Amino acid sequence: MQQKLRSKGYAAKDNSGKLSSWEFERRPVGDDDILIDIKYASICHSDIHQMKGHWGPQQYPQIPGHEIVGIVAAVGKNVTKFKVGDRAGVGCMVDSCMECDSCTHGEEHFCERGETLFTYGYPDKRSPTGITQGGYATNIVVRDHFAVHIPEHISFQEAAPLLCAGITTYSPLMNANFKVGDKVGVAGIGGLGHLAVKLAVSKGAEVYAFTTSPDKVADIRSWGVQEVIVVDEAFENMQPYNKQLDYMISTIPYQFNVAPYVACVKPYGHFTYVGMPDGFELTFSNIALASSRVNFNASLIGGIPETQEVIHYCADNGIRPEIQIIKAKQINEAWEKVVNKEARYRYVIDAATF
């Protein structure tokens, strides 16, 4: 247990956005840690943003991936939450101070000491590489609190995207407190957006999906939406929905014209943005936002208790992401398809191919 652990995965070596095979070491399993043999890891647009340096300079080599599922292979002496052989998942963070008010109340991603340790690319003195390394790999060592249980009645492949895409949309949708029959808009129907649609429909909302991809319309309709709006360059197709929606969530991961989307929300309704564009910055007209009387906010993933909640909710209610299983050698091609809006809708990597 005191030995560093060998791991193999696909890493970014620079900001080119091209990944290649890399062998590295994980820290030993500590008293409060578990070792997970990774079975599947799915691809999030965040992986691409961070590896390309869109969110700031990065240290390389770096293994991305924060939608991770597998089997517990070892546990530290203080661990009671898991035992060897359990099905486990890891999402966007792997540690925090665990003492502040946020950390002790299920919001570890808002650690008040600034000690939230995200799953890849963050300084970590315990790591042999000096930074956290993510899930595009054969294994991972993580503090037990930051892993969740994966129920038997959902496959590993389908559970993986819930560790980021699931919780990132579930948390704001639950905080919105919309009622059955309320009109809920979802903007951007990709890896996150398609789960937002399925979750909102399952909660009884009348869902309006906004997409720039006409070839997704049939898929989206099959998920039970009220309407699909194919957004045109002049935004003319959105005008009939002016001030019609009670709530909207946007998952669009790049700079976009916010105004036409906000305009679809009723005065004093709420608009939540969960996308993370280049530099984490979004430009919009403040006078247009003020005139809309819409409450604009943003949301960041969710805490560990709520992550466990969404896993169980989806497993129990038959909510499954649309996935495509790929091998490690297909990662670079898959990344290009994500950027070009060709993913349908979450790529899941078979870790046996690393």
Side-chain angles (χ1 to χ4, degrees), residues 3 15 33 76 92-93 104 107 109 144 163 165 209 233 237 248 260 264 267 269-270 276 291 312-313 333 344:
Q3 297 290 322
N15 65 1
D33 294 335
C92 300
M93 53 185 165
T104 56
E107 293 196 312
H109 49 313
D144 63 338
L163 274 304
E233 288 188 8
N237 293 351
M248 181 179 278
C264 293
H270 289 77
M276 292 292 169
S291 300
H312 284 299
Y313 180 79
E333 178 187 356
R344 299 294 184 271

Side-chain angles (χ1 to χ4, degrees), residues 58-352:
Q58 298 297 312
Q59 178 177 324
Y60 303 101
Q62 186 176 149
I63 300 270
H66 55 205
E67 296 180 340
I68 306 159
V69 290
I71 301 288
V72 177
V75 300
K77 68 177 185 180
N78 296 336
V79 173
T80 59
K81 184 179 176 182
F82 291 93
K83 64 182 185 303
V84 172
D86 282 354
R87 293 157 54 92
V90 177
C92 300
M93 53 185 165
V94 292
D95 212 342
S96 72
C97 83
M98 289 304 297
E99 294 177 352
C100 71
D101 191 63
S102 291
C103 288
T104 56
H105 287 80
E107 293 196 312
E108 303 88 346
H109 49 313
F110 296 124
C111 177
E112 290 151 32
R113 297 181 185 175
E115 295 179 16
T116 303
L117 195 62
F118 291 98
T119 307
Y120 54 83
Y122 277 69
D124 184 3
K125 294 178 180 178
R126 300 166 299 176
S127 170
T129 65
I131 57 172
T132 53
Q133 301 287 355
Y136 290 18
T138 52
N139 57 32
I140 191 169
V141 178
V142 60
R143 187 170 179 168
D144 63 338
H145 176 86
F146 290 84
V148 296
H149 290 274
I150 306 298
E152 295 285 349
H153 54 297
I154 186 169
S155 71
F156 273 142
Q157 299 95 310
E158 292 171 318
L162 303 180
L163 274 304
C164 174
I167 182 58
T168 300
T169 51
Y170 181 83
S171 183
L173 285 169
M174 296 306 98
N175 287 333
N177 292 317
F178 60 81
K179 301 182 293 295
V180 172
D182 277 0
K183 294 178 170 63
V184 172
V186 179
I189 314 301
L192 272 70
H194 91 285
L195 277 169
V197 166
K198 292 188 175 192
L199 288 165
V201 167
S202 78
K203 292 289 186 178
E206 218 177 75
V207 177
Y208 295 76
F210 296 80
T211 180
T212 56
S213 302
D215 61 336
K216 292 182 180 178
V217 171
D219 287 344
I220 299 167
R221 284 179 177 156
S222 74
W223 304 330
V225 300
Q226 185 74 15
E227 291 185 38
V228 183
I229 299 90
V230 179
V231 178
D232 59 311
E233 288 188 8
F235 303 106
E236 291 179 358
N237 293 351
M238 299 178 71
Q239 291 176 6
Y241 303 91
N242 187 54
K243 296 181 172 62
Q244 296 300 304
L245 306 180
D246 298 288
Y247 175 74
M248 181 179 278
I249 180 172
S250 171
T251 69
I252 299 169
Y254 45 78
Q255 282 281 350
F256 70 107
N257 187 350
V258 177
Y261 294 89
V262 171
C264 293
V265 180
K266 294 175 181 177
Y268 308 108
H270 289 77
F271 182 106
T272 301
Y273 184 44
V274 300
M276 292 292 169
D278 288 13
F280 301 120
E281 294 180 351
L282 190 64
T283 301
F284 54 84
S285 167
N286 196 43
I287 188 63
L289 184 60
S291 300
S292 74
R293 292 168 287 169
V294 170
N295 296 291
F296 186 100
N297 62 83
S299 182
L300 178 68
I301 57 173
I304 297 301
E306 197 169 35
T307 302
Q308 184 68 76
E309 182 180 314
V310 70
I311 296 286
H312 284 299
Y313 180 79
C314 290
D316 294 347
N317 292 279
I319 299 167
R320 302 292 187 268
E322 306 292 326
I323 62 172
Q324 293 175 270
I325 307 296
I326 63 171
K327 296 179 180 179
K329 65 182 181 181
Q330 297 172 281
I331 291 173
N332 290 314
E333 178 187 356
W335 274 28
E336 290 183 11
K337 289 183 176 180
V338 170
V339 171
N340 294 327
K341 305 180 186 178
E342 296 172 7
R344 299 294 184 271
Y345 287 81
R346 208 60 158 180
Y347 289 110
V348 180
I349 309 160
D350 182 351

